[in-house]
Amino acid sequence: MKIFTVAKGSSGFDGLKRGERDKPTPGAGQVLVRMRAASLNFRDLAIVSGKYMRGPVTHDTIPLSDGAGEVVAVGAGVRSLKVGDRVVATFTQGRPPEALGSPLDGVLCEFAALHEDGLLKIPAHMSFEEAATLPCAGVTAWNALMHGKTLRAGETVLTLGTGGVSILVLQLAKIAGARVIITSSHDEKLDRARKLGADHGINYKQHPDWEKKVLELTDGLGADHVVDLGGVGTLPHSYQCVGFGGEVCVIGVMTRPEGDLSPYPLMIKGATLRGIFVGGREHFEGLMRAVAVNKLKPVIDRTFPFDQTVEAFQYLKSAQHFGKVVIAI
Ligand SMILES: NC(=O)c1ccc[n+]([C@@H]2O[C@H](COP(=O)([O-])OP(=O)(O)OC[C@H]3O[C@@H](n4cnc5c(N)ncnc54)[C@H](OP(=O)(O)O)[C@@H]3O)[C@@H](O)[C@H]2O)c1
């Protein structure tokens, strides 16, 4: 079968290699999935460049955690799935941090043998490409909104940027009845976000003190939920514009340390700082129910053919995208 690998010790796109491996055989409790689509996350850029939290990959590894496909064979003892089921893989297979794409082999391959517990059925209204956007970005967005301080209709959500996680936060927050403020470095992307239902957009390049804009837009009250996808450079701003009793979810790792990272602004507002590492199967099941009932269609910016995997990674790195970047397999 055809695969891509991230070569052992990879520190750049040169480490992405097209190759062949034997088609796997499903073991007990496993099914064989003919992968049809995979999506890219910021994490995958970090893995290829050797900058992921675990350091460079220690063996040639099939990249990408987020994939969807069709069950073509079942191993002994499998009860929940059958040949022909359309499935999407969970980010972690077993206990965190045992995630697909690092340290486990990922989904950028024609066939993957995965345990039935690490797969969910795809709602009927979704394509393989759409389902492949959910395991990391969708589950992270769902975890940020619906766990910890649970989102209630009428509350204000602030989400940073217009990448994969942020646009899913916007879509999920709107079906939950929230007011959404979104930031971007591009006005055109803010216009697209408004068309998707965003109530307010702030250009964070034009307004480096965007937290003041958030306070203006909320009559000084601040946001109930801040989905901080920037990291240590944006957290000091998030601390200033989260509201009383609100929650800042620390998720992103895209920025360098900047400003005062002291959590005291949270203390005086009784606000919470919650770290998020994607989410487990139970989060994904909750997300899938919401997606199915609301017939939610994740936003796919662009789909690349398998042979243009390197171009897909380069495109994600260029940050031109709005929503998700997908590879058809
Ligand atoms: N902790 C976890 O479990 C977890 C899970 C998923 C993702 N993440 C992290 O969340 C972040 C986003 O992931 P992703 O996959 O959605 O990335 P992505 O699709 O590559 O999105 C990147 C976008 O982030 C925006 N951005 C960049 N710098 C920014 C800044 N200083 N302030 C505000 N926005 C900024 C840009 O949006 P504009 O072009 O609109 O400016 C950029 O296009 C990454 O750091 C990723 O590692 C963490």
Side-chain angles (χ1 to χ4, degrees):
M1 64 166 182
K2 54 184 186 180
I3 58 169
F4 265 91
T5 53
V6 177
K8 177 181 172 183
S10 172
S11 59
F13 293 145
D14 290 352
L16 269 174
K17 309 275 187 208
R18 171 85 197 266
E20 296 280 334
R21 253 189 217 175
D22 291 342
K23 185 172 155 183
T25 306
Q30 289 186 325
V31 303
L32 187 66
V33 182
R34 168 66 175 91
M35 302 307 310
R36 293 288 180 192
S39 84
L40 271 66
N41 292 287
F42 190 84
R43 165 185 190 261
D44 303 308
L45 290 176
I47 291 169
V48 172
S49 21
K51 292 182 183 149
Y52 193 52
M53 54 185 173
R54 308 173 69 98
V57 295
T58 53
H59 56 96
D60 291 358
T61 307
I62 298 175
L64 305 191
S65 54
D66 293 8
E70 187 182 353
V71 175
V72 290
V74 295
V78 169
R79 290 175 178 275
S80 61
L81 295 170
K82 60 181 188 319
V83 170
D85 282 344
R86 294 174 348 116
V87 290
V88 58
T90 56
F91 177 78
T92 44
Q93 299 278 315
R95 231 182 243 187
E98 294 300 301
L100 294 171
S102 174
L104 306 176
D105 273 328
V107 295
L108 196 52
C109 52
E110 282 182 291
F111 296 93
L114 296 167
H115 197 277
E116 61 176 329
D117 294 344
L119 294 162
L120 271 74
K121 287 186 191 164
I122 299 173
H125 77 281
M126 282 189 130
S127 64
F128 289 122
E129 285 80 4
E130 288 164 344
T133 67
L134 297 178
C136 177
V139 172
T140 301
W142 181 259
N143 186 352
L145 296 176
M146 298 300 169
H147 293 259
K149 177 181 161 62
T150 309
L151 178 61
R152 294 193 170 83
E155 288 186 333
T156 300
V157 172
L158 168 66
T159 185
L160 305 188
T162 58
V165 178
S166 191
I167 294 303
L168 280 154
V169 167
L170 163 60
Q171 293 183 287
L172 292 169
K174 288 316 291 182
I175 62 178
R179 171 163 69 152
V180 177
I181 304 174
I182 190 164
T183 69
S184 177
S185 53
H186 290 85
D187 286 343
E188 319 83 77
K189 292 187 177 184
L190 291 174
D191 287 341
R192 282 184 75 179
R194 284 191 195 93
K195 289 194 182 102
L196 269 180
D199 299 271
H200 306 284
I202 303 170
N203 187 316
Y204 64 84
K205 290 278 187 225
Q206 286 168 14
H207 301 285
D209 51 356
W210 43 268
E211 69 279 12
K212 292 188 181 143
K213 289 269 162 207
V214 174
L215 288 167
E216 272 170 42
L217 291 166
T218 54
D219 295 326
L221 294 175
D224 301 291
H225 300 260
V226 180
V227 183
D228 194 314
L229 298 161
V232 284
T234 49
L235 276 173
H237 303 261
S238 296
Y239 292 167
Q240 296 304 321
C241 63
V242 65
F244 282 81
E247 182 181 87
V248 178
C249 286
V250 51
I251 299 174
V253 291
M254 295 186 293
T255 50
R256 291 167 188 276
E258 183 198 303
D260 185 358
L261 273 163
S262 160
Y264 287 153
L266 299 178
M267 183 182 75
I268 55 173
K269 291 188 275 194
T272 307
L273 181 65
R274 182 162 66 98
I276 285 188
F277 185 66
V278 189
R281 186 184 170 94
E282 67 283 10
H283 298 88
F284 205 169
E285 286 171 346
L287 167 66
M288 277 306 205
R289 280 193 293 274
V291 161
V293 167
N294 292 282
K295 302 230 173 349
L296 185 138
K297 292 271 196 186
V299 177
I300 296 174
D301 178 283
R302 197 161 155 192
T303 302
F304 289 79
F306 186 81
D307 289 338
Q308 287 178 19
T309 286
V310 175
E311 286 85 345
F313 272 78
Q314 285 166 340
Y315 183 66
L316 189 81
K317 190 175 180 195
S318 75
Q320 294 169 60
H321 62 290
F322 177 95
K324 294 294 296 180
V325 176
V326 170
I327 296 173
I329 305 173

